[in-house]
Structures are given as C-alpha cells and as structure tokens.
Amino acid sequence: MDQEAEYLKKRLMDLSKRADDKNIVTFSNFLNLNELNIFHQISKELSSSFEVFGGYDYAERQMVAFLPDALYYVWEYPIHALRFTPSHPKFAEALTHRDVLGALMNLGIRREMLGDILFLSDGIVVFCIDSVTDYLIQHCCKIRHTNVTVEQILITDFQYQPRFIEKDGIVSSLRLDTILADICKLPRSAAQKIISEGNAFINSKKIQQNDYNCQNGDILSVRHVGKFQIETTDKVTKKGRIRYHYKIYA
C-alpha cells in the first residue's frame, strides 16, 4: 500500500475511533472507487459501525459515516445538492463533466469535497459537503463561457433513476475476465490486464482476480470505461455457453 493509501487508512481508522470514544457521528470526505476499496479492506478493523451514502441511490462517490454504539441523537449526512442551470439557455454551451469539475476546483474546492456530478434534463446536479454550499452559490457564476445560476435542492426531494442501455451477451463462463471482455468487446488478455492493474471494481470493491465469478446484480465499474449491472440467467445455448443480460449506465 503506497503512502497516500496508508494516510487514508489511518485517517479512516482515526475517524472511527473518534466516533467510538466521543459517542458522536463522524464523517469522511467523499471517497472515490479506489478509496472505497481501501475502506472496505479495513472495515473489520474499525472501532465503530458505519454506513455509506453519496447523496442519492446509485452514487459512485460516497461518504462514510462512523456510528458509535451509544448513539443518542438524530444525525444527517453533511451532504448538499446544488443544481446548476444556464442563466441564458439560448447561449449555453454543451458542457462536460470535466468542464464542471474544472470550474469548481478553480474556485479552490478540493475534489474530495465533491460527490457525483449528474447531467439531467433540468440542469447539472452536483453533490458537495455542506460547508462549501454557500461559497459555491455565491461564487460559481460561470462554467467555461456559460453563465450559470446555482440553487440548493433538498436531498429528500431529489429523485433520480439512472438511464440504462440494455444488452444480452453469451459467454463461456461468468468469470470476471470473460464478462469484461464480452461487454467491452476486448480480447480476453486485454480484459485481464485491466483487472490485474486494479481498474475493475465489483460493488465498489477492487477485484484483481480474473476468476472472480460474477453474481446476479453485481455492479461492475471499470475505470475510464464505464459502469455496468450484471444480470445472470439460467439460460444456456445448445453448445453449453451461458446467456446473460447486462445494463450499461448511460
């Protein structure tokens, strides 16, 4: 484990111990897939119980809440949602994830303060730590050359259903390298390289074993490629190959 990973591990352990010692709920920053994987590796060593949440169901970047055994008060995640809309839609550019992230980080906001960024029909929704909400509302007035208006929306009112592209596949086995090669239309050797280099995650946990057997409902995230939900079936072809279904997060 490199120095950065060791620091994260220590930080998470300290937050858990603080929650247990002081009987208060403590929170991590938003964690990416690799950081969540490190968290899951140490979860059995924690001093407290925990929950994870990213502001909405299906969130990829998530925050960990460390919960003491003697919890005596109602608590909420320090997560807010902001909606960015063009001030003059007629002159708005087609913005990208990179454009939005760049504009926010140029204001001095660190990446770990920001959760997922969603492009929806009624605007761009950004999840953030509550301490930066007012600052972003006051100071984020432009993304690239597009003037924007920022408003806070209630997490409890936020409704999101991801859009999927659904496809069927036929594979020789449900091994991760076989599934990944089929979904991404890659040679099996290329899929194995992705896995061995630590770029494949199942349910937010890094998997580096090619022979991991995919289960029904598994969420497969491949860094720099995309996110997929695996649905296994009991159907086989006449040649004994396995039919399965998968959804691509659009």
Side-chain angles (χ1 to χ4, degrees):
M1 192 175 290
D2 60 27
Q3 186 174 355
E4 190 172 320
E6 285 290 352
Y7 175 81
L8 175 63
K9 177 180 176 180
K10 183 178 184 302
R11 174 64 177 159
L12 295 173
M13 297 285 284
D14 287 346
L15 286 169
S16 178
K17 186 175 187 303
R18 182 170 177 241
D20 185 57
D21 289 346
K22 297 185 177 295
N23 287 324
I24 59 173
V25 182
T26 61
F27 303 93
S28 71
N29 291 321
F30 285 101
L31 304 180
N32 62 30
L33 282 174
N34 193 52
E35 292 164 337
L36 284 167
N37 177 67
I38 292 170
F39 167 72
H40 287 302
Q41 289 176 7
I42 65 169
S43 60
K44 293 182 180 179
E45 305 173 45
L46 298 175
S47 305
S48 65
S49 57
F50 63 87
E51 294 180 5
V52 295
F53 184 56
Y56 70 106
D57 293 338
Y58 310 104
E60 183 168 295
R61 297 178 63 86
Q62 300 193 58
M63 181 182 290
V64 183
F66 298 94
L67 311 175
D69 291 335
L71 184 58
Y72 58 89
Y73 61 93
V74 177
W75 62 277
E76 295 180 348
Y77 280 90
I79 298 175
H80 284 171
L82 300 177
R83 179 185 287 120
F84 295 71
T85 54
S87 302
H88 308 288
K90 182 178 179 180
F91 303 104
E93 303 166 273
L95 300 173
T96 67
H97 185 282
R98 178 177 292 184
D99 294 331
V100 177
L101 184 59
L104 300 183
M105 295 185 71
N106 283 339
L107 290 172
I109 304 300
R110 301 192 307 275
R111 184 64 180 99
E112 60 266 27
M113 294 179 172
L114 303 172
D116 286 1
I117 299 173
L118 302 176
F119 287 75
L120 306 177
S121 59
D122 59 349
I124 301 168
V125 175
V126 177
F127 293 86
C128 65
I129 290 178
D130 59 0
S131 60
V132 303
T133 298
D134 290 342
Y135 180 79
L136 289 177
I137 291 175
Q138 293 172 18
H139 293 89
C140 189
C141 56
K142 181 177 290 189
I143 300 176
R144 284 193 69 191
H145 306 296
T146 298
N147 292 326
V148 295
T149 301
V150 189
E151 62 175 335
Q152 183 179 346
I153 56 178
L154 294 177
I155 293 287
T156 52
D157 291 342
F158 181 73
Q159 300 291 326
Y160 175 73
Q161 185 63 39
R163 293 179 294 111
F164 296 110
I165 298 171
E166 302 197 29
K167 294 191 175 184
D168 295 306
I170 299 175
V171 289
S172 58
S173 76
L174 294 175
R175 282 173 47 122
L176 178 56
D177 57 350
T178 305
I179 293 286
L180 180 54
D182 184 63
I183 289 176
C184 297
K185 309 308 177 191
L186 296 170
R188 192 165 170 183
S189 58
Q192 291 174 343
K193 183 178 180 182
I194 289 173
I195 296 166
S196 66
E197 291 180 347
N199 290 318
F201 299 81
I202 295 288
N203 305 325
S204 300
K205 296 181 181 180
K206 185 187 295 183
I207 304 295
Q208 291 183 275
Q209 295 76 39
N210 293 317
D211 60 355
Y212 170 84
N213 203 49
C214 293
Q215 306 296 313
N216 187 50
D218 275 352
I219 304 298
L220 168 61
S221 299
V222 184
R223 190 177 290 160
H224 309 307
V225 176
K227 187 175 179 182
F228 315 90
Q229 182 173 328
I230 310 300
E231 296 182 358
T232 60
T233 72
D234 56 1
K235 299 177 181 178
V236 296
T237 67
K238 293 180 179 179
K239 294 184 177 180
R241 291 169 63 82
I242 300 169
R243 296 183 183 275
Y244 77 106
H245 186 77
Y246 62 96
K247 297 177 179 179
I248 304 171
Y249 284 72

